[in-house]
Amino acid sequence: FDETKRQTGFYRYRQLLSARFGRWWKTNLLTLAGFAPLAAGVFYAVASTSVLVLLPASLLGGMIAGPFLAGMYDAILRGLRDDPLPWWEGYQRAWKQNWKSSLIPGALLGLILGTYTFTAMLFWWAERAPSLGTVTLYLFALLAVLIVNTLYWPQLVLFRQKASVRLRNCLLFCIKYFWRILGVGVLQLACLAVFVLFAPWTLLLLPVLGVWYILFLSQFLIYPQMDAAFQIEELFY
């Protein structure tokens, strides 16, 4: 296919991977570094079975990770709209624009991830296996968190809005494109389950696939709808 023209469907997927893999991979390494304090803090809290350690470690670690995650989303969205800005310049610009606004969402995300990890270990340590209803509720809530993050962070890096406006947009988008966003959320949940169930071997994939691939795939699958809802292409060209 012609690499000089924007493709559609699967050819667009191939075109983006071919053109942007190097940029996303480098951004992914920085993102992993940004999440390292959060991972270390949660691991120590779980190992010491201490909620008193978990709460500050999750909040502080998430606050550190927030700007890195914003940088990852920014890089993916620049690729999806064919932004010609050089990689490092775009990444620096993303940090300057988003680091302050990403601190609180990052802290909340860190707290959620820490709490879910700690809860999963409580399930593992329990003398009795959790009921089907408990597991279903746990997975449903995690699915909701993944869906909100999929829609919230792109708005954070693209627009200057209040958090309430972003959350309202998330709700309206979910209502309008329910099945598509549900499918994306289930896809992310399945990917997370594979990483968790086959750990520690899947940790070897982090430097290669890390967080960039599932975020790219998720945004790729909803980008036409996101563009229709937020006029991304029109506003940024």
Side-chain angles (χ1 to χ4, degrees), residues 25-95:
W25 177 71
K26 288 182 286 188
T27 307
N28 175 70
L29 295 180
L30 294 173
T31 306
L32 292 177
F35 270 84
L38 174 62
V42 172
F43 176 81
Y44 181 76
V46 170
S48 60
T49 63
S50 174
V51 175
L52 294 178
V53 173
L54 177 71
L55 295 179
S58 298
L59 287 169
L60 181 58
M63 193 174 292
I64 295 171
F68 288 91
L69 182 59
M72 186 76 256
Y73 269 101
D74 183 85
I76 290 171
L77 289 167
R78 286 183 186 278
L80 289 171
R81 65 178 187 266
D82 293 322
D83 191 307
L85 201 66
W87 168 73
W88 184 241
E89 185 178 345
Y91 191 74
Q92 289 179 308
R93 185 175 297 183
W95 259 79

Side-chain angles (χ1 to χ4, degrees), residues 79-164:
L80 289 171
R81 65 178 187 266
D82 293 322
D83 191 307
L85 201 66
W87 168 73
W88 184 241
E89 185 178 345
Y91 191 74
Q92 289 179 308
R93 185 175 297 183
W95 259 79
K96 291 177 181 178
Q97 293 176 345
N98 303 311
W99 75 269
K100 289 183 180 179
S101 60
S102 61
L103 293 178
I104 293 179
L108 293 175
L109 178 60
L111 181 61
I112 292 171
L113 292 178
T115 303
Y116 265 85
T117 303
F118 199 86
T119 304
M121 294 309 299
L122 290 179
F123 290 163
W124 181 264
W125 294 327
E127 294 182 0
R128 293 184 179 180
S131 66
L132 179 60
T134 300
V135 174
T136 301
L137 181 61
Y138 178 88
L139 294 177
F140 177 79
L142 183 56
L143 176 63
V145 169
L146 293 173
I147 288 174
V148 170
N149 273 280
T150 300
L151 299 175
Y152 187 91
W153 286 90
Q155 294 181 75
L156 186 147
V157 302
L158 289 172
F159 311 113
R160 304 276 74 81
Q161 299 170 318
K162 294 182 178 179
S164 59

